[in-house]
């Protein structure tokens, strides 16, 4: 049985859970991280020395880093669908997964942490506004890309949509002003029609 450690409100844990739900892979989830603790226990640190979530144990094979986990699970269970057969389609999905980690998430993280995880009197309005503007700017890149594609890497959902879809929910659910991004909006609307996205990702932000 696949075991997934991580609290269900974590953007990185949601990538793994959503992916499993799309593939109908059974798993057991164990709450860990933030208020749940666990990540600082010697047992968990043995699994994941970063003390972060998610971590998986797939019949004795331990893996951390959410995007690496999504790649592993998609390759194992969803060849030809979430894990495209075509090398270039897969490389394109990979590209957008890395972009989520290195470009989109650093842009939006201060805004998310500030508005959702910081008391109002401790917020830095300037940092929040910088983060909002930067996120709007980088999402413009995705919007241009999505002009000619239904999903991020193909005309069907692939692993490339998973990290971006989890991050985008934060952007869409935050109480902020958002510029019009018609292609991102269309793509987001299509994700919201997926039962697994609704159940796993579209949770109240916390
Ligand atoms: N690059 C890592 C980042 C993991 C990460 O930062 N996880 C956050 C939750 S989204 C975490 O563990 N925070 C500390 C905690 O929840 O205790 C990944 O993608 O898995």
């Amino acid at each position: 049985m696949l075991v997934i450690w991580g609290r269900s409100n974590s953007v990185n844990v949601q990538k793994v859970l959503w992916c499993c739900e799309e593939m109908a892979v059974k798993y057991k989830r164990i709450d860990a991280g933030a208020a749940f603790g666990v990540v600082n226990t010697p047992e968990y640190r043995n699994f994941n020395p970063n003390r972060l979530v998610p971590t998986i144990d797939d019949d004795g094979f331990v893996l951390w880093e959410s995007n690496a986990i999504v790649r592993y699970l998609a390759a194992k269970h969803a060849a030809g669908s979430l894990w495209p057969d075509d090398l270039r389609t897969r490389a394109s999905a990979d590209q957008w997964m890395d972009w989520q980690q290195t470009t989109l998430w650093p842009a939006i993280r201060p805004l998310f942490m500030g508005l959702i995880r910081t008391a109002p009197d401790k917020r830095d309005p300037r940092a929040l506004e910088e983060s909002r503007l930067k996120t709007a700017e980088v999402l413009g890149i995705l919007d241009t890309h999505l002009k000619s594609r239904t999903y991020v890497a193909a005309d069907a959902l692939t692993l490339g949509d998973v990290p971006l879809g989890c991050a985008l929910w934060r952007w869409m659910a935050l109480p902020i002003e958002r510029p019009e991004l018609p292609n991102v909006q269309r793509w987001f609307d299509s994700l919201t029609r997926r039962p697994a996205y609704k159940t796993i990702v579209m949770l109240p932000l916390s």
Side-chain angles (χ1 to χ4, degrees), residues 125-144:
R126 201 141 139 216
L128 294 183
E129 183 57 3
E130 261 175 35
S131 174
R132 188 186 72 83
L133 291 173
K134 183 68 190 167
T135 308
E137 180 195 324
V138 301
L139 282 176
I141 298 172
L142 180 62
D143 196 65
T144 303

Side-chain angles (χ1 to χ4, degrees), residues 18-30:
W18 178 24
C19 188
C20 285
E21 296 289 338
E22 289 287 349
M23 302 183 302
V25 167
K26 289 207 173 9
Y27 59 86
K28 175 178 157 192
R29 187 181 64 78
I30 299 176

